[in-house]
Amino acid sequence: LSSEQQKLLSHIACFRSAMTFDALKAISDKSIDADLKTLEHRGLLHWDKTANKYDLHPIVRRYAYDRLSGDARAAAHGHRCRIGA
């Protein structure tokens, strides 16, 4: 994965439930369409097409969350709070 894809995956892991595309878009400062497709293609991200929500398997979520350093984790959670998730 690219560093941007790793960062996106780790930030998604901060959310404890499935997220809408709009919520995921709010946590990134660039277009995430291609990165989401890559993560889904690699089996790291699940897209529920009927609900239009993205979610992680619990093992993937834990691994990706553990990759965040303390400062990055605090920033990601702060971002999460700002979007109201």
Side-chain angles (χ1 to χ4, degrees):
L1 297 176
S2 72
S3 61
E4 286 298 316
Q5 292 164 348
Q6 291 173 17
K7 181 180 175 184
L8 178 60
L9 186 64
S10 291
H11 282 113
I12 293 170
C14 288
F15 296 89
R16 306 233 189 270
S17 61
M19 301 299 298
T20 65
F21 176 77
D22 290 336
L24 293 177
K25 197 167 60 169
I27 67 171
S28 182
D29 54 356
K30 66 173 200 82
S31 176
I32 59 171
D33 295 337
D35 290 340
L36 289 174
K37 286 180 182 178
T38 298
L39 295 173
E40 182 185 8
H41 177 72
R42 291 187 175 210
L44 299 170
L45 181 69
H46 173 71
W47 177 36
D48 179 351
K49 293 176 181 134
T50 57
N52 197 26
K53 290 190 174 188
Y54 293 85
D55 204 0
L56 300 174
H57 184 280
I59 294 172
V60 173
R61 183 180 308 281
R62 188 71 202 165
Y63 179 84
Y65 186 75
D66 286 346
R67 302 290 67 92
L68 286 173
S69 68
D71 292 340
R73 191 176 291 178
H77 281 290
H79 209 85
R80 181 180 128 192
C81 292
R82 285 192 299 279
I83 66 168

